[in-house]
Each structure stands twice: as C-alpha cells, then as structure tokens.
Amino acid sequence: MGTTQLESVQEPKYWHLKTVLSEALDSDFAVGEILPNERDLAARFGVARATLRQALEQLELEGRLQRRRGVGTTVAPPRVGVAVSTSQHEWAGGVAGEAWQPVDCVSEAAPSAVAAVLGTGTEPVHVVRRIRDTHGQAVAAELLYVPASSVPDLSAIDAPSGTVRARAVLRELHRLGVEGQDRSVELGSARADDAKELDRLPGAPVLVVTTRYFASGGTAAVSVATYRADTCRLTFGDSGALEISHDEQQQRQAS
Amino acid sequence: MGTTQLESVQEPKYWHLKTVLSEALDSDFAVGEILPNERDLAARFGVARATLRQALEQLELEGRLQRRRGVGTTVAPPRVGVAVSTSQHEWAGGVAGEAWQPVDCVSEAAPSAVAAVLGTGTEPVHVVRRIRDTHGQAVAAELLYVPASSVPDLSAIDAPSGTVRARAVLRELHRLGVEGQDRSVELGSARADDAKELDRLPGAPVLVVTTRYFASGGTAAVSVATYRADTCRLTFGDSGALEISHDEQQQRQAS
C-alpha cells in the first residue's frame, strides 16, 4: 500500500501528479525549457517512474509538453489555431499566400474506402501530396485523391509526376469549383511518411481531417490531411478566430 | 542488438508490430472479442512486452482497440460518426429527439479563458452540464457557459440548480437564436468528472470541441464539449454524412 504523499487522493496517482506538474510548469519553467530527466523528476515529486511517465503522457496529450527527437521533453508553446474552413482548405494550389505546398503527385489506385466514395474502383487516380506550413512549421501533410474525370483537360504535356504535375492537377481542379464539402475529424496515429514530414515519430497522435469535395453533382475529390495533434487546434466556423484554447482552460481550472 | 524477427525493418519495431497486429485483428478476431493478455501476445509475436504495449497504444489511438475497465482490451467496433454542425449542436434542449441531455446547472464564475471571451470576469454565469448520447452510449460531456445577460427573462421561480434549472436556461437561450458560431477541435485528456460520465479512465484521449455562439452582436454562450476520441469521428459540413473512416483507410492501406 505504501505511504507516498499522494495516497489519500481518490483520483489515480498519475492524474493528481499531472495537476501538480502542470502547476510546476506554470511557475518554474519557461516555454521551450527542457525538463529534468525522468529519474530526477520522479525523485523530486516522490513518485514511481511509471506514475511519472503516465502524468507526462497526459501533459503531452494536452499540448503542455513536447517530446522532441534528440532534445528531450520540453515545455510546449500554446497550440496554434489552424483554420480548416472552406476558404483556407481550398484545393487550389496556385493562389498567392496559399498555405498548402504541393510536393508530389503520383497516379495510383486510391485506398478502397476512398475509391468507394469516388467510384473509381481500382482505376488509378491522381494522388497529390501537399504540406501545410504555418509560421514556418509543417503542421499538416495531405493526400488529395483526384479522379481523372474531375480534371478532364489535364494536358499530357505536363510532367508525369512531381511538383509540376501536382500544380497542374490543382490548377485544373480549380476550374471545377467547389459546390460543397463534408468533413470529419478523428484521432489517429501518424504513418511513417507523414511523421517524417511533420518531424514526429511514427505513431504520434494526429488529428485526421477527411474532406469530401462536391462538384458537378458528385464527389470531385477526397482529401485526407494529417494534422499534428500536439501543436494544432483546428478552427472552424463563421469568423475563423476562436481564441480560447483548451490548454488555457485546463490551466485556469487547475489554478 | 538481438536477433528478433523484426530486426531488419527500418521503421520502429512497435510500428511494424502494429501493422502485423492490425492484420491479425482483421483475420483472427471479431469485434468485441477480448485479446489475450500482454504476456501471451508478446510471446506469440516474439517481441518484448514494452514493444507490444507501444503497438497496442497505437491501435488504441487509431480506434482499433478499446481498453475497458474490468474487461481488458477488446477489438473495437468501427467509430461512430457524430455530427457537430449547427443543427445538431443547437443549444436548445427542449427539442424532441435532441441528442443532448441536460443533467445539471450551477451558477459560478467561468474559467478565466472562457470569462474573457464572455466578458463576465469573476461574475457568476449559468453552467449547464449536458451529456450527448448516441445509440445508447454517452459520447460527449459538455459544459455550456451562459452569462445572465443572455437569458434576461430567466425566472427566479425556476429551481436554483439541477436538471429543471438546466432546461429553463436552455429554453430562455433558445429564444435568443444563434447568429453564428466559431468552433475549434483539439486533442485533450478527459478530466475526472467527464471521464466518469463517458465510462473512461481520467486522462483518456478526448477530442475537445469549443464552440462560441454569437447572438445580438456579441458572444451569447461558450460550450466546451469533450468527445470520446476512441469511439467518435466528428463530422462537419454540408450533408453531414461522411462515410469514410480513417480506420478503414488504414486497414485498406495496410492490406
């Protein structure tokens, strides 16, 4: 049963420790500062390392801490609000100031769940890969699936793959115009290729935004975008400027 | 350096194991089935228990597995699409078939981040607690912060707290009408009270949806809703029926 200082608390130990750690982050650490190693922290708070690790994982989920390759665990800056609305998530890549940078385009069959929505079966579609940068940091990696029928005037003269091809597909898609969109958001883990683009380890928690674009009465394209869950807060809506972060709320409620 | 069967793979071991496990879930297990214990699984796949645990955590993030209290780790059913749009997320609680069930209402100061948006400072606001049920399961717990100025005709005759009070506040709020909404979605961990309502352990990954409702030219209310990240896929948009799940995509891509 032990006699640690946290024994009387009804909540799990790691949960209480998380609250205590959260307050310590506010008072004793600056954004970007590297935390002491797990052994030292466990000793400082009088807990087992397993308990400490659980509490650190909680704080990482809440965006308070970041685990960075080759650096260690640091105090995270507040999450960045990233607008996921019609205008910000336009598929057109040619617009000045557009946040999405096309990096590649290949022609291959879409995954079957996507192919079922597009009605393309095993027929190859254009798969445009884009990266979204915000404040100089890659916040999302996207695969945009475009059936050949959505870009009928795509010229064979354009490069068969790569960035030039990606721009050509987006340019043609732009001519189609968007009539409507459906979108879903769910928790996922970063695939190895996305993780690399986002400077995360494979399996890091991500927010997966799947968008179905409608045009000419059908589904014109499907986008699967993977956002860093540690640094991003996805914003939707009328003004696009929601200035309350969950992080802040938790901090205030804890204090 | 070891000589396990996964040595030659360039990705982290847990990542490769995750793919292997995912295929095993498809072929050898049914939805709801309880997995063998960690020791047996580690032996079966020839990996260390720490590696196994990491892979299981990945599969939990992706919604393939569920850890259930007193049951163990089970194969999860596909995630449920939960609409988070204007009509589904109406604040009115009196509508027949409304998914949100008011459970309580107290009068207290909003957390400072919320109070700043509402402009209420330390002045008490109505805090309505609601639970959202889908297919008989609690999928979200919400705190709706309503300043007194948004419900000027709220009668003092109504109960001071509890469900009756919650319904009265919602009824008055409904008369105001919604002019617009801003919304954000981010990853969080379940607070103890929310976790209990959602039948999860404190700290379980959740999707936190923060909504700012506009009416009469100002912010009329702020909602902070905590959705189960393991079972929910949040849907937005024009038709509200996005039928592609990330889960399915990953399954298809892996096969």
Side-chain angles (χ1 to χ4, degrees):
Chain A
M1 286 287 119
T3 53
T4 77
Q5 63 214 71
L6 299 175
E7 193 183 35
S8 62
V9 180
Q10 288 202 332
E11 294 173 342
K13 280 184 189 171
Y14 66 86
W15 185 256
H16 179 68
L17 176 62
K18 191 211 80 170
T19 309
V20 173
L21 273 172
S22 184
E23 286 163 12
L25 291 181
D26 286 336
S27 56
D28 303 352
F29 293 90
V31 166
E33 197 172 337
I34 301 170
L35 289 198
N37 66 43
E38 289 187 1
R39 185 180 314 182
D40 292 351
L41 276 178
R44 173 165 164 183
F45 290 98
V47 296
R49 282 183 68 173
T51 305
L52 176 76
R53 212 169 287 140
Q54 280 182 294
L56 293 178
E57 279 168 14
Q58 297 300 320
L59 290 167
E60 204 185 350
L61 273 186
E62 291 171 15
R64 301 292 319 276
L65 292 178
Q66 275 180 309
R67 267 184 261 195
R68 292 163 60 188
R69 288 196 244 189
V71 176
T73 301
T74 59
V75 180
R79 282 178 175 158
V80 177
V82 182
V84 183
S85 60
T86 309
S87 58
Q88 295 297 320
H89 203 274
E90 270 291 352
W91 53 32
V95 183
E98 167 69 10
W100 289 99
Q101 302 298 330
V103 292
D104 197 14
C105 182
V106 297
S107 183
E108 61 185 31
S112 32
V114 174
V117 170
L118 291 172
T120 52
T122 57
E123 172 194 319
V125 300
H126 305 290
V127 185
V128 176
R129 185 163 182 81
R130 296 195 290 185
I131 304 296
R132 181 171 180 170
D133 284 310
T134 299
H135 306 306
Q137 190 190 49
V139 293
E142 179 202 45
L143 291 175
L144 179 66
Y145 299 94
V146 184
S149 58
S150 293
V151 288
D153 298 332
L154 186 68
S155 163
I157 301 170
D158 289 308
S161 65
T163 311
V164 174
R165 183 66 164 183
R167 290 189 190 280
V169 170
L170 290 164
R171 186 188 62 225
E172 290 301 313
L173 199 51
H174 187 51
R175 295 169 56 170
L176 202 58
V178 185
E179 283 160 15
Q181 325 181 7
D182 269 351
R183 187 170 286 124
S184 78
V185 177
E186 64 187 303
L187 181 61
S189 64
R191 290 201 318 267
D193 52 347
D194 292 334
K196 198 178 162 196
E197 300 277 14
L198 300 175
D199 191 26
R200 303 288 288 149
L201 292 172
V206 291
L207 296 170
V208 180
V209 180
T210 306
T211 308
R212 181 173 175 174
Y213 294 97
F214 299 101
S216 312
T219 302
V222 168
S223 151
V224 180
T226 298
Y227 284 81
R228 285 182 65 154
D230 55 339
T231 55
C232 293
R233 189 163 42 87
L234 307 182
T235 66
F236 299 83
D238 300 323
S239 85
L242 187 71
E243 289 309 325
I244 314 171
S245 92
H246 175 58
D247 187 28
E248 280 170 45
Q249 286 168 41
Q250 291 240 346
Q251 285 178 50
R252 307 307 177 202
Q253 287 178 350
S255 63
Chain B
M1 286 288 115
T3 54
T4 78
Q5 63 214 69
L6 299 175
E7 193 184 36
S8 61
V9 180
Q10 288 202 332
E11 293 172 344
K13 279 183 187 172
Y14 67 85
W15 186 255
H16 179 67
L17 175 62
K18 191 211 78 168
T19 308
V20 173
L21 273 173
S22 182
E23 285 164 13
L25 291 181
D26 286 337
S27 56
D28 303 352
F29 293 89
V31 167
E33 197 171 338
I34 301 171
L35 288 200
N37 66 43
E38 289 186 1
R39 187 180 312 181
D40 291 353
L41 275 178
R44 174 166 164 185
F45 291 98
V47 296
R49 281 183 69 174
T51 305
L52 176 75
R53 213 168 287 141
Q54 280 183 293
L56 293 178
E57 279 167 16
Q58 297 299 319
L59 290 166
E60 204 186 352
L61 272 187
E62 290 170 17
R64 302 292 319 275
L65 293 177
Q66 274 180 307
R67 269 184 259 195
R68 292 162 61 186
R69 287 196 244 188
V71 176
T73 300
T74 61
V75 180
R79 282 179 175 158
V80 177
V82 181
V84 184
S85 59
T86 308
S87 58
Q88 295 297 319
H89 203 273
E90 268 294 351
W91 55 32
V95 184
E98 166 71 8
W100 289 100
Q101 303 298 330
V103 293
D104 196 13
C105 181
V106 295
S107 182
E108 61 184 33
S112 35
V114 174
V117 170
L118 291 173
T120 52
T122 57
E123 171 194 320
V125 300
H126 305 289
V127 185
V128 176
R129 186 162 181 82
R130 295 195 293 184
I131 304 295
R132 182 171 181 170
D133 285 309
T134 300
H135 305 306
Q137 190 189 51
V139 292
E142 179 203 46
L143 291 176
L144 179 65
Y145 299 94
V146 184
S149 58
S150 293
V151 289
D153 298 331
L154 187 67
S155 164
I157 300 170
D158 288 310
S161 65
T163 311
V164 175
R165 181 70 164 182
R167 289 190 192 282
V169 171
L170 290 164
R171 188 189 62 226
E172 290 301 314
L173 200 51
H174 188 50
R175 293 168 57 170
L176 202 59
V178 185
E179 283 161 14
Q181 323 179 8
D182 268 351
R183 189 170 283 123
S184 78
V185 177
E186 63 188 304
L187 181 60
S189 65
R191 289 201 317 267
D193 53 345
D194 292 336
K196 198 179 162 195
E197 301 277 15
L198 301 174
D199 192 25
R200 302 288 289 151
L201 292 173
V206 291
L207 297 170
V208 180
V209 180
T210 306
T211 308
R212 179 174 177 172
Y213 294 98
F214 298 101
S216 311
T219 302
V222 168
S223 152
V224 180
T226 299
Y227 284 81
R228 285 182 64 152
D230 56 337
T231 55
C232 293
R233 189 163 40 86
L234 308 183
T235 65
F236 299 81
D238 301 323
S239 84
L242 186 72
E243 289 308 326
I244 315 169
S245 91
H246 175 59
D247 186 29
E248 280 171 45
Q249 288 169 37
Q250 291 239 346
Q251 285 178 50
R252 307 306 179 202
Q253 286 179 348
S255 63

